[in-house]
């Protein structure tokens, strides 16, 4: 009996170690057995509302002053906003709707988000597939429209496992089955920074390689930026601004005929740039 009592602490330790190992085994799961995290909406959608407009001014407009600098930046941003909003309306709506649904694991190992989404008066059936591989997650969106097309592969993508960076490749529409837009994105959730770049990848096109690059940073004094490159003119337009206070600056050597920054203040009026 005494021997048994002396053995109890050892037995207890053996059982305790066994339980710890068992718990650790439970936590160690195969990534393919868990649904992958969908990349953030910001990976496909630039928030153009962050750029200051005339409603953002902190004081009434001064009719004597010019808004040429802000106006040139705003005009170029607006062009890309219009193009992307109209062109990406269907795939973006389908992607955003995925966050409202739960996926189902498929026999081949991928996960499927399947649902309907309305864009205007049209109803689409969406199938978003996500498959975890060694390097990250492969994505594919199939869209169907009754009486028009079935399972059109509107975009594909890849993201790393923590969903902090990745890419998307979009086809123009069901009637032009070739890539036209390539998106690169990344984010740092700890620092609260992010950027996304849209590039025209239509071959044999004067604007092949044209892109808009947006970033959210922690830099001072400008914590937002756009870089807009036009391949046809080989033109780069640099834009930086302060999101909270609206002041900013723009550089375009073709439009301004120099390589200097041209600034605007909190009221969006032209002002001299700081030294």
């Amino acid at each position: 009996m005494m021997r048994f009592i002396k053995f109890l602490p050892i037995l207890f330790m053996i059982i305790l170690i066994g339980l710890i190992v068992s718990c650790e085994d439970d936590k160690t799961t195969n990534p393919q057995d868990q649904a992958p995290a969908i990349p953030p909406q910001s990976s496909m959608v630039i928030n153009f509302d962050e750029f200051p407009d005339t409603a953002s001014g902190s004081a009434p407009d001064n009719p004597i002053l010019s808004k040429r600098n802000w106006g040139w930046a705003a005009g170029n941003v607006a062009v890309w906003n219009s193009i992307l909003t109209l062109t990406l309306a269907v795939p973006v709506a389908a992607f955003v709707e995925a966050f409202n649904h739960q996926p189902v694991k498929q026999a081949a190992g991928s996960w499927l988000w399947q649902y309907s989404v309305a864009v205007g008066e049209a109803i689409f059936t969406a199938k978003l597939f996500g498959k975890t591989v060694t390097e990250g997650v492969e994505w594919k969106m199939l869209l169907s429209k009754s009486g028009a097309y079935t399972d059109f592969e509107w975009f594909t993508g890849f993201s790393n496992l923590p969903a902090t960076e990745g890419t998307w490749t979009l086809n123009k529409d069901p009637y032009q089955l070739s890539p036209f837009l390539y998106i690169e994105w990344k984010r740092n959730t700890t620092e609260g920074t992010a950027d996304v770049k849209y590039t025209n990848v239509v071959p044999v096109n004067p604007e092949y390689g044209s892109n808009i690059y947006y970033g959210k940073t922690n830099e001072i004094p400008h914590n937002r930026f756009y870089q807009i490159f036009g391949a046809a003119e080989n033109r780069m337009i640099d834009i930086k601004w302060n999101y909270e206070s609206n002041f900013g600056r723009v550089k375009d050597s073709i439009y301004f005929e120099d390589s200097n920054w041209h600034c605007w203040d909190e009221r969006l009026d032209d002002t001299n740039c700081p030294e």
Side-chain angles (χ1 to χ4, degrees):
M1 183 67 177
M2 291 299 294
R3 290 182 179 177
F4 179 74
I5 293 174
K6 290 180 179 179
F7 183 70
L8 281 178
I10 299 175
L11 180 62
F12 175 76
M13 289 300 296
I14 293 173
I15 294 173
L16 181 60
I17 292 172
L19 288 174
I20 292 173
V21 172
S22 176
C23 290
E24 290 299 323
D25 287 343
D26 289 341
K27 293 178 183 178
T28 306
T29 57
N30 190 328
Q32 282 81 359
D33 294 334
Q34 298 180 350
I38 302 176
Q41 296 182 20
S42 59
S43 69
M44 193 176 290
V45 184
I46 288 181
N47 185 1
F48 286 102
D49 292 337
E50 289 193 343
F51 192 76
D53 58 26
T54 52
S56 305
S58 58
D61 294 339
N62 187 334
I64 300 176
L65 299 178
S66 167
K67 288 180 168 55
R68 180 192 183 201
N69 300 337
W70 166 83
W72 182 245
N76 282 278
V77 171
V79 168
W80 273 91
N81 185 9
S82 298
I83 293 172
L84 293 175
T85 299
L86 293 173
T87 307
L88 303 183
V90 174
V92 166
F95 176 65
V96 171
E97 180 63 24
F99 291 86
N100 299 322
H101 303 272
Q102 295 298 317
V104 176
K105 190 173 184 180
Q106 305 300 290
S110 63
W111 291 79
L112 170 63
W113 289 255
Q114 185 168 356
Y115 46 89
S116 295
V117 59
V119 182
E121 298 181 355
I123 303 295
F124 299 85
T125 299
K127 297 177 182 177
L128 177 62
F129 291 90
K131 184 176 182 180
T132 303
V133 295
T134 303
E135 300 82 7
V137 184
E138 297 174 340
W139 299 96
K140 178 172 63 176
M141 172 67 82
L142 304 181
L143 288 175
S144 301
K145 183 179 180 182
S146 180
Y149 51 84
T150 301
D151 289 344
F152 167 61
E153 187 177 279
W154 211 305
F155 60 82
T156 57
F158 181 84
S159 61
N160 63 356
L161 288 175
T164 57
E165 62 180 288
T167 62
W168 299 109
T169 301
L170 288 85
N171 290 316
K172 174 71 173 176
D173 56 49
Y175 313 104
Q176 299 183 51
L177 307 180
S178 61
F180 92 103
L181 192 66
Y182 182 67
I183 302 175
E184 303 164 85
W185 62 273
K186 60 179 180 288
R187 60 175 179 163
N188 187 315
T189 54
T190 301
E191 297 182 1
T193 60
D195 60 68
V196 58
K197 183 178 183 180
Y198 296 71
T199 301
N200 181 329
V201 291
V202 178
V204 194
N205 184 297
E207 293 298 345
Y208 176 83
S210 295
N211 61 74
I212 180 169
Y213 181 35
Y214 160 82
K216 174 183 178 183
T217 75
N218 290 323
E219 295 183 6
I220 297 174
H222 304 107
N223 53 18
R224 299 289 190 277
F225 72 81
Y226 286 116
Q227 288 184 336
I228 301 174
F229 175 69
E233 296 181 293
N234 192 29
R235 165 183 274 174
M236 174 64 79
I237 303 174
D238 277 311
I239 303 168
K240 295 185 177 183
W241 77 98
N242 181 281
Y243 172 64
E244 292 77 16
S245 299
N246 299 321
F247 63 83
R249 60 185 184 175
V250 58
K251 182 190 296 186
D252 179 352
S253 60
I254 295 178
Y255 178 74
F256 292 104
E257 299 183 336
D258 60 45
S259 59
N260 302 323
W261 286 106
H262 297 262
C263 297
W264 67 84
D265 62 18
E266 292 85 350
R267 301 174 181 176
L268 313 182
D269 293 323
D270 291 353
T271 186
N272 292 327
C273 294
E275 293 294 335

